[in-house]
Amino acid sequence: MRVLVTGGAGYIGSHTVRRLLEAGHEVIVYDNLSRGHREAVAGVPLVEGDIRDGELLRSTLARYGCRGILHFAALSLVGESVRDPQAYYLNNVGGGLTLLQAALHCGVPYFVFSSSAAVYGEPHEMPIREDFSLEPANPYGETKMVLEKALASYSRAYNFRAISLRYFNAAGASSAGDIGEDHDPETHLIPLVLRAIMTGEELTVFGDDYPTPDGTAVRDYIHVEDLAAAHVLALEALERGSPTAAYNLGTGRGYSVLEVIRAAEKVTGKKVPYRIGPRRPGDPAVLVASAEKAMAELGWQPRYTELEDIIATAWQWHRRRPRGFKG
């Protein structure tokens, strides 16, 4: 299938592009490169454009004859969304609706949406299942929820089907070690931990007063290649006739910030310098997924189930490219 991958030069998008190509699909990347990297998708057709540019989206879909869309292009920092919700609604909701309009205009029938566990807010029960109520605790989660609801409405009204994938903390790097995380600013825990090890700069642990065993926030870390595989499975499920649906992706096991630090120290053999800081606005205490539905219906099975194995791939990338795609 010929597929447009919006945000395909980003962290998760670029790994998914590779997995799509391995599965025999044709890929066109659409990215404004504000947070993605041209080098991450070298050799793949790249259209440089904004997700809110409806004319360029329509012409791109028509030019390449795309039958599917994988949508990753979004602002995704929780704290930033609290400080500047307007930017998140304009880009994530406004841009998402513009993309949907282009998809309908060009008759694209299949849509896979990179959603988030942030749509759930902070449920009182773990692990989180897809039938839990959606009560996002920050504007970032709100924008993901709004677009999910739009996808459901569009599916009922038009010849169009979509799968939303709600996932938790993406981590790790390609098994080949040639693509990985390179964000500016970097906010993800594992690369920040590894950066602290490599530079000696002190890591800030945001809060040690959460209602968790060691007081630090607990997350479900999922390897980026496992996420990429799930997106391809979702696209192929839609092609086979699967209905519009939402699926969680995760390992079903949570690790606290301090547990991540200890695991990184074990993988690298080095100590992590850190200090305790205040909580970040909008951060839930615990997020752990039940992915049983995705396993049963999509045939998805994560290959990386141990935190140390995930960190080891990230460590390989950061040692090889300490300045990210700059070298």
Side-chain angles (χ1 to χ4, degrees):
M1 186 190 307
R2 192 165 292 169
V3 184
L4 184 73
V5 182
T6 68
Y11 172 45
I12 303 171
S14 61
H15 285 82
T16 304
V17 165
R18 176 167 295 179
R19 187 60 180 249
L20 284 163
L21 293 171
E22 291 171 350
H25 299 283
E26 297 180 60
V27 179
I28 299 90
V29 171
Y30 186 99
D31 201 302
N32 66 6
L33 300 180
S34 63
R35 302 189 182 188
H37 303 275
R38 190 184 303 273
E39 300 89 338
V41 288
V44 179
L46 170 64
V47 176
E48 191 171 343
D50 193 275
I51 196 63
R52 293 168 290 182
D53 187 341
E55 183 176 347
L56 182 57
L57 285 167
R58 289 190 298 273
S59 65
T60 300
L61 290 169
R63 174 187 172 191
Y64 288 99
C66 296
R67 293 280 292 163
I69 293 173
L70 273 66
H71 179 40
F72 295 93
L75 300 177
S76 60
L77 304 180
V78 168
E80 182 181 65
S81 79
V82 174
R83 294 189 301 272
D84 189 7
Q86 177 177 250
Y88 275 67
Y89 273 90
L90 288 173
N91 187 86
N92 295 3
V93 176
L97 293 176
T98 300
L99 178 60
L100 281 175
Q101 184 179 27
L104 293 180
H105 177 83
C106 295
V108 179
Y110 311 128
F111 194 103
V112 179
F113 175 43
S114 172
S115 189
S116 169
V119 299
Y120 295 110
E122 191 167 7
H124 299 295
E125 182 183 343
M126 295 289 158
I128 299 169
R129 300 190 312 272
E130 289 87 351
D131 58 359
F132 283 19
S133 61
L134 305 186
E135 299 177 14
N138 50 66
Y140 166 64
E142 291 169 1
T143 63
K144 292 291 188 178
M145 179 186 70
V146 169
L147 198 58
E148 277 199 29
K149 290 181 179 293
L151 288 169
S153 296
Y154 279 46
S155 294
R156 288 189 292 267
Y158 310 115
N159 182 27
F160 177 85
R161 284 178 287 117
I163 287 178
S164 297
L165 298 175
R166 301 168 179 166
Y167 43 89
F168 294 70
N169 284 44
S174 69
S175 53
D178 58 338
I179 53 175
E181 288 197 74
D182 184 359
H183 300 122
D184 185 18
E186 184 58 76
T187 63
H188 291 179
L189 178 61
I190 288 175
L192 289 174
V193 166
L194 297 178
R195 179 185 295 174
I197 287 172
M198 295 177 73
T199 66
E201 296 176 8
E202 200 171 54
L203 170 76
T204 300
V205 175
F206 294 106
D208 65 350
D209 58 349
Y210 286 99
T212 62
D214 63 19
T216 62
V218 171
R219 295 291 183 268
D220 188 339
Y221 293 89
I222 178 170
H223 196 274
V224 65
E225 289 187 333
D226 287 331
L227 286 178
H231 284 80
V232 177
L233 288 171
L235 177 68
E236 293 172 348
L238 289 171
E239 188 177 23
R240 291 193 304 270
S242 292
T244 292
Y247 296 93
N248 290 340
L249 300 175
T251 64
R253 181 177 178 184
Y255 295 91
S256 72
V257 175
L258 294 182
E259 286 177 317
V260 172
I261 288 173
R262 288 194 290 270
E265 290 176 339
K266 186 173 180 180
V267 168
T268 64
K270 302 175 185 293
K271 296 297 289 184
V272 178
Y274 71 90
R275 67 176 184 87
I276 304 298
R279 295 186 190 187
R280 292 183 298 190
D283 266 358
V286 180
L287 287 176
V288 177
S290 167
E292 292 179 2
K293 182 181 176 185
M295 294 176 184
E297 297 184 10
L298 298 179
W300 178 72
Q301 187 67 46
R303 293 191 302 119
Y304 291 87
T305 58
E306 297 298 325
L307 180 62
E308 290 175 14
D309 293 337
I310 294 172
I311 292 174
T313 65
W315 181 232
Q316 176 183 229
W317 157 255
H318 286 287
R319 281 189 301 170
R320 182 174 177 176
R321 305 291 292 268
R323 297 177 59 241
F325 287 102
K326 298 180 181 68

